[in-house]
Amino acid sequence: MANLTRRAFNIAAASTALAAMTARAYAQSDVTIVVNGSGGSLAEVLKKLFEDPFTEATGIKVRSTAPVSLPKLKAMVESGNVEWDLTELNGDDVVLATEAGWLEPIDYAIVDPKNELPEVAKLPTAMVRASYSTVIAFRTDRFPADKLPKTWSDFWDVEAFPGPRSLENSPKGNLEFALLADGVPLDQIYPIDVDRAFAKLDELKDHIPVWWDNGAQHVQLLVDAEVNMTSCWNGRITPLKDEGKPVDISWDGGALMLSYLGIPKGAKHPKEAMEFMKFRMDPVASAAFVKVIPYPGFVPGMMELLEPEFVATLPTAPANAEVQFPFNSEWWAKNLEEVQNRWNEWLLI
Amino acid sequence: MIMRRPTLLLLLAPAVLLAGLLFVLPLFGVMRLSIFDESGFTLGPIAELVNSRVAVVVLERTFVLAASVTAICLILGYPAAYFMSGLKPKTRAYVTYLILLPFWISILIRTYTWIVILGREGIVNKGLGLLGVAPVQVLYTDLAVHIGMVQILLPIVIITCLAAMLDIEKDLMKAARSLGASRSQAFWKVFFPLSVSGAATGGLICFILSLGFFVTPALLGGRRSIIIANLIDLQVHQTLNWGFAAVLATALLAVTLTCLGLFWLVMRRRVEFTGAGLGR
């Protein structure tokens, strides 16, 4: 954080003062909150930038667990044995968990007292933590430099871009990509024409030897050159590129997705969890976080702290955002069960 | 020393209690999940199983895979065990050690190793490339699943066969030869019938373990290599349909128990017939 601007310094000073105030309120606290997240290197960065400073400021200890799991949330709430105080959730999980009553309402008077957070980030039971994209990633060494795959039509074009591919073992996102490959404009994807999407996926089915289940797997498939291209989470490719691996991404037709924080129904320390959510809004720490893990959220004042060249590489940068579509969690939450069953039948038989 | 019955029961008690608490009780929980939901008794998940094309296809696929893996393991394992039964005890101990060695390495690691070997940039395809052959897709096919599973299960089959073969009186073979039987007659008429129950036990263990395999099909197989355990995982983690997952698990258990029952019936007949058997 060598190049802090004056504005950043002011914000930093203000948030330190804020932390000092909360510190007084919780000086005697010996509470430990359990925060569930994605684990891995992400967890280490979170600990360094948010959890340890939070404990220092408030006396509230943080224990982090992983992985993000809707079934586990369901099991906890239904058995009345709620271990987590705060958990990450993806978009359609938020819709499903809210409908099922597994989440506590969030008091934004605590989390966002100055009302700085944009409305889109504030759901009654969850707050946006990060944004990321599911985009096309490819091996740059398997195609001529002047003819790299760019769009989902290219992804589907096995003549012009030969070689095995991979997609996620889930209908989410893939149906949208199939429609884009079939010529549907970005703003007309939803509501999804499921039949048309499956018909388009039929064309590609035999060229996909493996369907990935998690982020580590699609990275491995690309690095081992097991496939020439795959759908991927944008943040997983940045470090590979930095290491000099021959991989790149195309934002074209990417799915802009949101990741949320929510409090399980029956959590033991909901108030402390909300204090921690407020702490996660710290713009300086958030800027440092995004530098390592390029998943920006809507933290007010954060973007101003980053260099314009870096901001341009983020999924939410205007130039990148305009060629992508916002992933529609509501549509998926409503149709997931039916589409998932059809997907299983389509894929496994 | 003959123990009195109460003492015997007392010694068994901790194991029975532990098995009851940690195994039988959760098992009933799972079975309960398949016929009860929030509103009470339901046959919904069972109807779902009968009507689900995916479940039927995957169950069938699971049994075909388990049967073919078992057959391969027996074809490879029986001769290996026969060879080992003829070795001097000291040499046999070394060979046994070599066979058991991979057994102590985690299944996950052994499966990942196959990814490295069979992959598009793996050793096999690199070698083929030197010979001018285009890369072949072995990884993410049924062939890869078979290779992975046979490698994991073969030691079990060999050791089980071997144990049965070492029990066979060597003098019986000598007697057969002295009465004029040729080498192959002595093997097929005397040794083979006596060793069959051991081989069958090995095959059965291999078959039942294959039915529940999860990691190997998930990592080495393609979309059509999914077997029942993977389908259960899918129901638990993706569709959140726990009732259906419970029915699938119960169906797998029921079929496994049926196999065991059939095996027991058949073997009992054989025991009456040959006078040799499992109980030895």
Side-chain angles (χ1 to χ4, degrees):
Chain A
M1 274 183 281
N3 44 7
L4 280 185
T5 60
R6 177 182 289 271
R7 186 179 142 75
F9 178 77
N10 289 339
I11 295 170
S15 56
T16 316
L18 203 76
M21 269 159 58
T22 11
R24 242 165 289 149
Y26 286 91
Q28 265 81 49
S29 164
D30 57 350
V31 171
T32 300
I33 58 170
V34 178
V35 179
N36 184 58
S38 310
S41 57
L42 196 74
E44 286 163 34
V45 180
L46 283 173
K47 180 170 161 53
K48 201 177 113 221
L49 288 173
F50 295 105
E51 291 166 8
D52 288 348
F54 178 68
T55 304
E56 212 166 290
T58 63
I60 301 169
K61 288 177 214 63
V62 180
R63 188 161 68 82
S64 64
T65 55
V68 177
S69 161
L70 191 63
K72 206 164 171 191
L73 176 67
K74 170 183 162 147
M76 279 185 190
V77 176
E78 288 187 350
S79 68
N81 183 14
V82 180
E83 182 201 338
W84 302 334
D85 294 302
L86 194 64
T87 180
E88 274 179 33
L89 295 155
N90 69 41
D92 46 305
D93 284 358
V94 169
V95 181
L96 289 173
T98 307
E99 264 171 27
W102 300 332
L103 294 175
E104 296 273 0
I106 289 170
D107 184 358
Y108 283 98
I110 299 177
V111 178
D112 182 27
K114 287 196 221 138
N115 204 14
E116 292 172 311
L117 207 59
E119 282 309 309
V120 61
K122 295 197 279 194
L123 300 187
T125 52
M127 178 184 84
V128 172
R129 176 194 68 87
S131 51
Y132 62 102
S133 296
T134 305
V135 293
I136 302 170
F138 52 87
R139 293 279 300 209
T140 51
D141 57 347
R142 299 293 151 127
F143 307 103
D146 57 338
K147 223 187 112 202
L148 295 171
K150 196 170 171 302
T151 64
W152 289 107
S153 308
D154 294 345
F155 196 92
W156 251 255
D157 188 347
V158 291
E159 307 272 309
F161 301 94
R165 295 120 154 84
S166 185
L167 286 172
E168 186 177 0
N169 180 9
S170 157
K172 289 187 221 168
N174 286 337
L175 297 194
E176 287 92 325
F177 301 151
L179 291 179
L180 288 173
D182 208 24
V184 176
L186 276 178
D187 54 353
Q188 286 167 34
I189 295 174
Y190 299 104
I192 293 175
D193 182 343
V194 178
D195 291 329
R196 184 172 172 183
F198 272 104
K200 190 70 183 171
L201 279 161
D202 278 338
E203 291 176 21
L204 205 60
K205 200 175 181 181
D206 291 337
H207 299 273
I208 302 191
V210 55
W211 300 75
W212 58 266
D213 287 307
N214 56 59
Q217 200 185 355
H218 68 56
V219 167
Q220 177 228 325
L221 290 170
L222 263 192
V223 171
D224 295 351
E226 206 55 59
V227 296
N228 288 356
M229 49 181 120
T230 178
S231 60
C232 78
W233 296 329
N234 71 289
R236 303 275 178 155
I237 303 302
T238 316
L240 294 183
K241 259 176 87 175
D242 293 347
E243 283 169 29
K245 295 263 170 24
V247 292
D248 206 350
I249 58 174
S250 166
W251 296 103
D252 219 309
L256 259 177
M257 298 172 147
L258 296 173
S259 151
Y260 296 80
L261 283 175
I263 299 172
K265 178 78 88 198
K268 293 181 190 74
H269 309 106
K271 200 156 174 296
E272 287 81 357
M274 284 186 240
E275 287 293 342
F276 183 58
M277 283 165 91
K278 179 169 84 178
F279 200 82
R280 292 276 293 263
M281 305 308 307
D282 179 278
V284 178
S286 296
F289 175 82
V290 169
K291 290 287 259 185
V292 190
I293 314 234
Y295 292 155
F298 295 106
V299 175
M302 177 190 78
M303 286 296 185
E304 289 84 338
L305 303 177
L306 298 162
E307 302 90 345
E309 310 88 73
F310 177 74
V311 171
T313 66
L314 294 173
T316 46
N320 298 336
E322 78 182 12
V323 295
Q324 304 179 65
F325 63 92
F327 181 79
N328 189 330
S329 297
E330 284 78 32
W331 189 91
W332 277 104
K334 212 180 303 150
N335 296 286
L336 183 62
E337 197 178 336
E338 198 190 322
V339 176
Q340 180 80 49
N341 284 334
R342 179 163 172 183
W343 173 267
N344 291 347
E345 195 154 307
W346 177 81
L347 193 70
L348 304 182
I349 294 182
Chain B
M1 190 181 83
I2 298 161
M3 268 187 283
R4 279 179 304 143
R5 196 164 274 256
T7 327
L8 204 68
L9 284 178
L10 211 64
L11 284 174
L12 265 176
V16 171
L17 199 71
L18 207 65
L21 272 178
L22 299 180
F23 183 68
V24 180
L25 213 61
L27 193 68
F28 276 112
V30 168
M31 284 157 91
R32 191 180 179 281
L33 210 57
S34 62
I35 44 168
F36 284 96
D37 63 8
E38 305 89 53
S39 50
F41 181 76
T42 170
L43 286 173
I46 294 176
E48 210 176 335
L49 174 74
V50 178
N51 293 324
S52 161
R53 223 155 68 85
V54 173
V56 173
V57 167
V58 170
L59 261 174
E60 190 190 307
R61 197 180 283 160
T62 308
F63 279 92
V64 171
L65 177 72
S68 66
V69 166
T70 305
I72 296 171
C73 281
L74 282 174
I75 290 168
L76 296 175
Y78 187 89
Y82 182 63
F83 167 77
M84 284 168 70
S85 72
L87 294 172
K88 282 197 216 86
K90 206 169 168 194
T91 330
R92 189 162 59 226
Y94 280 120
V95 177
T96 309
Y97 176 77
L98 285 178
I99 283 176
L100 285 178
L101 196 61
F103 209 62
W104 296 318
I105 301 169
S106 142
I107 288 183
L108 198 61
I109 292 172
R110 280 189 280 163
T111 304
Y112 268 115
T113 312
W114 283 115
I115 294 184
V116 177
I117 294 172
L118 300 175
R120 207 152 66 105
E121 303 271 292
I123 300 162
V124 171
N125 272 321
K126 281 259 168 69
L128 286 176
L130 292 178
L131 299 171
V133 183
V136 278
Q137 185 78 46
V138 179
L139 192 57
Y140 310 123
T141 64
D142 273 353
L143 178 61
V145 177
H146 275 91
I147 294 174
M149 283 176 70
V150 166
Q151 194 247 348
I152 288 163
L153 292 168
L154 193 55
I156 298 177
V157 175
I158 294 179
I159 297 301
T160 323
C161 286
L162 180 65
M165 288 174 184
L166 291 178
D167 262 2
I168 297 171
E169 255 345 304
K170 285 281 172 316
D171 292 344
L172 289 174
M173 295 280 280
K174 280 183 199 153
R177 291 301 300 277
S178 74
L179 290 172
S182 72
R183 195 179 274 273
S184 79
Q185 270 176 327
F187 174 80
W188 288 112
K189 291 245 159 97
V190 178
F191 189 86
F192 184 73
L194 289 175
S195 68
V196 133
S197 63
T201 311
L204 185 76
I205 293 173
C206 177
F207 184 74
I208 289 173
L209 287 176
S210 299
L211 289 180
F213 253 58
F214 174 74
V215 170
T216 312
L219 290 179
L220 298 181
R223 62 184 178 85
R224 294 173 134 267
S225 314
I226 295 283
I227 63 172
I228 193 80
N230 307 95
L231 189 62
I232 293 172
D233 173 66
L234 195 77
Q235 302 302 335
V236 172
H237 284 113
Q238 278 194 21
T239 42
L240 296 193
N241 194 344
W242 292 4
F244 193 35
V247 165
L248 285 172
T250 310
L252 180 62
L253 181 71
V255 173
T256 310
L257 289 177
T258 311
C259 285
L260 269 174
L262 281 175
F263 178 77
W264 185 72
L265 276 179
V266 172
M267 283 329 280
R268 212 173 54 152
R269 283 255 177 86
R270 270 201 57 82
V271 171
E272 282 162 8
F273 177 66
T274 62
L278 285 172
R280 314 190 313 126

